[in-house]
């Protein structure tokens, strides 16, 4: 039975005590960061061979980190370092102090392993409590957690954070869509956590089952684990009546809870007292000024079992200290719409899937379900986009369909500079994903 009073319009609760750190005066925040950075670098140097060797090679000692700017003297860490040290090579704590492992699935090579001490787990939980609090989630909320439970950090990260906040958690994990919808409706769920593409799938399936999301008490979606655009946010909010927020995180750093938006939806605030962010030029490695787009680099400031020094995330963003209306002093990153890994090179032109998503969702009549297919014919790259369109458009005249197809082709070409072969397909014909969406099929790599 839906809970009384649980409506989409519940006013935000008073500030959660855990959020106090979000509002630290900048000078104090920088002091906290420096103290923690120095301790992290010392620990990494003393206990992890890879960090010691790299710092020695650069001729930099932990004691030489005297100011935050000295972080630039430290070597980078990349994903391959985690693979090469599989499974325990980057641990800075003995096994007796480790209480949890997570790992990537390893479908594309050697998996990466991350480890946590009890203190690490508690710190992570605290970051998640602050994340939920930042979105106005509170005691009395019912949180449906549709992130996968298991080796992936999503499930347990969201789970313990929501519980510690005092909300009631429904640990559904991924998949089982019809059951997810029944629970959303029957329990009067107010907050959902999943990938944005899976939420779209839930809305669609709900329609088929006669469940309108706009009529449910559900008011907040915490979406992450895949890049998504502002246009996608617009579509999600319009079709469900909820507010959709961006959560950023990655297993190598901690899991979800590295950065999260506030109620103003102007890009995630980084929990800077726990994670030190930099944006670099991915070619030269030079640190870029604020408000300049580049690759996000993160250094953990609290992690004990597996400190990460200047980890190159491959996520493309910009850092800003422009004040936010919420009053948080934490700097924000621009919403991450793309990863440098996602870049497609089509006949020598760089194209990001997010550019295509943003362009096609601006065209009326399209649905937020699409697939990008890259292939090669006679040594030339080809780019095709299959996009679902509304039933109204699909049943319309051939002329109207042709016009829409031309509009989409033009919209994408004007942003990417590349000609795409657009194919319109009926609603609910493209494969749905219950986890991260497989939006790009690059047949050149098959
Ligand atoms: Zn804010």
């Amino acid at each position: 039975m839906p809970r009384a009073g649980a409506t989409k319009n519940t006013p935000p609760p008073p500030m959660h005590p855990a959020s106090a750190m979000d509002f630290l005066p900048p000078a104090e925040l920088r002091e906290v960061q420096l103290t923690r950075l120095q301790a992290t670098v010392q620990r990494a140097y003393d206990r992890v061979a890879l960090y010691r060797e790299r710092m020695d090679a650069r001729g930099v000692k932990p004691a030489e980190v005297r100011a935050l700017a000295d972080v630039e003297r430290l070597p980078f860490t990349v994903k391959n370092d985690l693979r090469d040290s599989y499974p325990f090579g980057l641990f800075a704590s003995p096994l007796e102090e480790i209480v949890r492992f997570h790992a990537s699935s390893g479908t594309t090579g050697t998996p990466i392993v991350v480890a946590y001490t009890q203190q690490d787990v508690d710190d992570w939980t605290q970051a998640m409590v602050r994340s939920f609090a930042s979105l106005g989630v509170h005691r009395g909320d019912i949180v449906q957690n549709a992130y996968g439970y298991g080796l992936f950090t999503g499930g347990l990260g969201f789970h313990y954070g929501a519980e510690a906040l005092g909300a009631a958690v429904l640990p559904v994990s991924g998949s089982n869509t019809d059951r997810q919808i029944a629970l959303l409706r029957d329990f009067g769920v107010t907050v959902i956590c999943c990938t944005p593409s899976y939420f779209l799938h839930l809305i669609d399936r709900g329609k088929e089952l006669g469940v309108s999301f706009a009529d449910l008490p559900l008011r907040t979606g915490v979406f992450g684990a895949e890049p998504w655009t502002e246009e996608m946010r617009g579509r999600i909010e319009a079709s469900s009546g909820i507010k959709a927020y961006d959560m950023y995180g990655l297993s190598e750093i901690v899991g979800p809870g590295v950065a999260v938006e506030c109620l103003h939806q102007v890009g995630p605030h980084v929990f800077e007292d726990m994670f030190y962010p930099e944006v670099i030029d991915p070619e030269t490695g030079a640190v870029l000024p604020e408000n300049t787009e580049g690759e996000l680099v993160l250094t953990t400031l609290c992690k004990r079992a597996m400190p990460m020094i200047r980890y190159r995330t491959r996520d493309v963003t910009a850092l800003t200290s422009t004040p936010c209306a919420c009053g948080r002093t934490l700097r924000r990153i621009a919403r991450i719409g793309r990863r440098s890994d996602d870049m497609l090179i089509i006949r020598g032109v760089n194209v990001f899937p997010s550019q295509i998503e943003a362009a096609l969702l601006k065209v009326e009549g399209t649905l937020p379900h699409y697939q990008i297919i890259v292939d090669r014919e006679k040594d030339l790259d080809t780019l095709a986009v299959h996009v679902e369109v509304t039933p109204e458009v699909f049943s319309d005249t051939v002329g109207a369909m042709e016009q829409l197809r031309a509009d989409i082709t033009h919209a994408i070409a004007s942003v990417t500079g590349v000609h795409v072969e657009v194919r319109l397909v009926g609603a609910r014909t493209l494969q749905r994903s219950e986890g991260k969406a497989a939006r790009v099929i690059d047949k050149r790599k098959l």
Side-chain angles (χ1 to χ4, degrees), residues 262 264 266 269 324-326 328 332:
C262 63
H264 298 277
V266 285
H269 289 276
C324 181
C326 74
R328 280 179 175 74
R332 284 172 286 132

Side-chain angles (χ1 to χ4, degrees), residues 232-246:
M232 185 63 90
R233 164 146 58 198
R235 292 297 184 98
I236 287 174
E237 293 191 340
S239 56
S240 64
I242 71 162
K243 286 283 180 194
Y245 299 102
D246 195 11

Side-chain angles (χ1 to χ4, degrees), residues 240-297:
S240 64
I242 71 162
K243 286 283 180 194
Y245 299 102
D246 195 11
M247 160 73 85
Y248 176 73
L250 62 169
S251 301
E252 298 91 315
I253 296 302
V254 75
V258 174
V260 74
E261 286 189 310
C262 63
L263 294 170
H264 298 277
Q265 297 180 305
V266 285
H269 289 276
V270 180
F271 292 115
E272 283 196 86
D273 50 306
M274 302 181 70
F275 314 103
Y276 186 78
E278 301 169 88
V279 170
I280 63 160
D281 178 329
E283 303 296 327
T284 65
V287 176
L288 296 171
E290 281 192 8
N291 305 307
T292 309
E293 199 171 78
E295 179 182 343
L296 180 66
V297 170

Side-chain angles (χ1 to χ4, degrees), residues 20-298:
M21 283 303 276
D22 299 4
F23 298 89
L24 220 53
E28 272 179 55
L29 176 59
R30 300 293 163 238
E31 261 176 55
V32 169
Q33 286 180 312
L34 179 58
T35 308
R36 292 181 175 176
L37 175 69
Q38 288 167 329
T40 297
V41 172
Q42 187 69 57
R43 183 179 181 86
Y45 185 87
D46 290 344
R47 296 173 175 236
V48 183
L50 178 123
Y51 290 127
R52 189 167 51 247
E53 285 159 16
R54 289 205 181 149
M55 284 174 62
D56 284 346
R58 288 189 150 219
V60 52
K61 298 282 177 225
E64 291 166 46
V65 177
R66 297 190 188 95
L68 282 173
D70 291 328
V71 78
E72 295 181 30
R73 300 181 57 198
L74 301 171
F76 291 115
T77 311
V78 296
K79 193 165 202 159
N80 268 341
D81 294 327
L82 281 89
R83 293 209 177 98
D84 295 346
S85 59
Y86 176 85
F88 298 166
L90 289 182
F91 291 7
S93 295
L95 208 50
E96 303 85 75
E97 289 174 19
I98 285 167
V99 299
R100 176 99 64 82
F101 294 110
H102 281 287
S104 73
S105 56
T107 46
T108 54
T110 310
I112 60 151
V113 178
V114 289
Y116 304 75
T117 64
Q118 186 58 55
Q119 186 62 50
D120 290 337
V121 170
D122 294 347
D123 288 343
W124 182 18
T125 299
Q126 206 57 19
M128 289 304 296
V129 167
R130 289 163 68 182
S131 300
F132 280 119
S134 176
L135 303 177
V137 181
H138 51 81
R139 270 174 194 279
D141 270 321
I142 301 182
V143 177
Q144 183 156 328
N145 185 11
Y147 280 110
Y149 281 66
L151 284 174
F152 170 57
T153 47
L156 292 184
F158 278 92
H159 181 101
Y160 286 116
E163 261 188 18
L165 178 87
V169 186
L170 260 168
V172 200
S173 195
S175 81
N176 216 336
T177 302
D178 287 7
R179 194 171 176 205
Q180 302 258 9
I181 291 163
L183 290 170
L184 277 171
R185 180 194 59 203
D186 298 347
F187 281 55
V189 168
T190 48
V191 179
I192 188 162
C193 309
C194 60
T195 59
S197 53
Y198 188 50
F199 187 66
L200 285 171
H201 179 40
L202 288 171
I203 297 174
D204 272 8
R205 183 62 186 148
K207 270 186 211 149
E208 288 172 1
L209 298 171
V211 177
S212 159
F213 277 44
D215 299 332
L216 297 177
L218 187 68
R219 67 164 203 279
T220 299
V222 193
F223 301 127
E226 65 185 22
W228 54 304
T229 58
E230 204 55 42
E231 286 74 15
M232 185 63 90
R233 164 146 58 198
R235 292 297 184 98
I236 287 174
E237 293 191 340
S239 56
S240 64
I242 71 162
K243 286 283 180 194
Y245 299 102
D246 195 11
M247 160 73 85
Y248 176 73
L250 62 169
S251 301
E252 298 91 315
I253 296 302
V254 75
V258 174
V260 74
E261 286 189 310
C262 63
L263 294 170
H264 298 277
Q265 297 180 305
V266 285
H269 289 276
V270 180
F271 292 115
E272 283 196 86
D273 50 306
M274 302 181 70
F275 314 103
Y276 186 78
E278 301 169 88
V279 170
I280 63 160
D281 178 329
E283 303 296 327
T284 65
V287 176
L288 296 171
E290 281 192 8
N291 305 307
T292 309
E293 199 171 78
E295 179 182 343
L296 180 66
V297 170
L298 291 164

Side-chain angles (χ1 to χ4, degrees), residues 240-399:
S240 64
I242 71 162
K243 286 283 180 194
Y245 299 102
D246 195 11
M247 160 73 85
Y248 176 73
L250 62 169
S251 301
E252 298 91 315
I253 296 302
V254 75
V258 174
V260 74
E261 286 189 310
C262 63
L263 294 170
H264 298 277
Q265 297 180 305
V266 285
H269 289 276
V270 180
F271 292 115
E272 283 196 86
D273 50 306
M274 302 181 70
F275 314 103
Y276 186 78
E278 301 169 88
V279 170
I280 63 160
D281 178 329
E283 303 296 327
T284 65
V287 176
L288 296 171
E290 281 192 8
N291 305 307
T292 309
E293 199 171 78
E295 179 182 343
L296 180 66
V297 170
L298 291 164
T299 298
T300 61
L301 298 177
C302 299
K303 279 279 283 291
R304 298 182 65 77
M306 212 170 134
M308 277 289 129
I309 308 281
R310 302 193 87 196
Y311 183 73
R312 292 186 60 160
T313 65
R314 300 278 165 200
D315 289 317
V316 178
T317 188
L319 199 58
T320 182
S321 54
T322 308
C324 181
C326 74
R328 280 179 175 74
T329 47
L330 306 169
R331 285 180 291 174
R332 284 172 286 132
I333 45 176
R335 290 190 59 217
I336 290 165
R338 57 192 169 100
R339 293 176 53 83
S340 54
D341 295 355
D342 294 340
M343 190 175 77
L344 300 165
I345 302 176
I346 310 293
R347 300 186 190 190
V349 179
N350 299 344
V351 177
F352 285 95
S354 58
Q355 295 176 304
I356 295 175
E357 175 179 302
L360 69 87
L361 290 187
K362 279 185 185 136
V363 181
E364 208 168 317
T366 58
L367 291 169
H369 297 283
Y370 64 93
Q371 208 154 47
I372 298 167
I373 296 142
V374 187
D375 207 348
R376 183 167 284 152
E377 278 170 31
K378 293 178 187 147
D379 293 330
L380 281 177
D381 299 323
T382 61
L383 182 65
V385 177
H386 296 177
V387 55
E388 291 186 7
V389 294
T390 60
E392 296 77 51
V393 171
F394 206 67
S395 59
D396 215 329
T397 59
V398 175

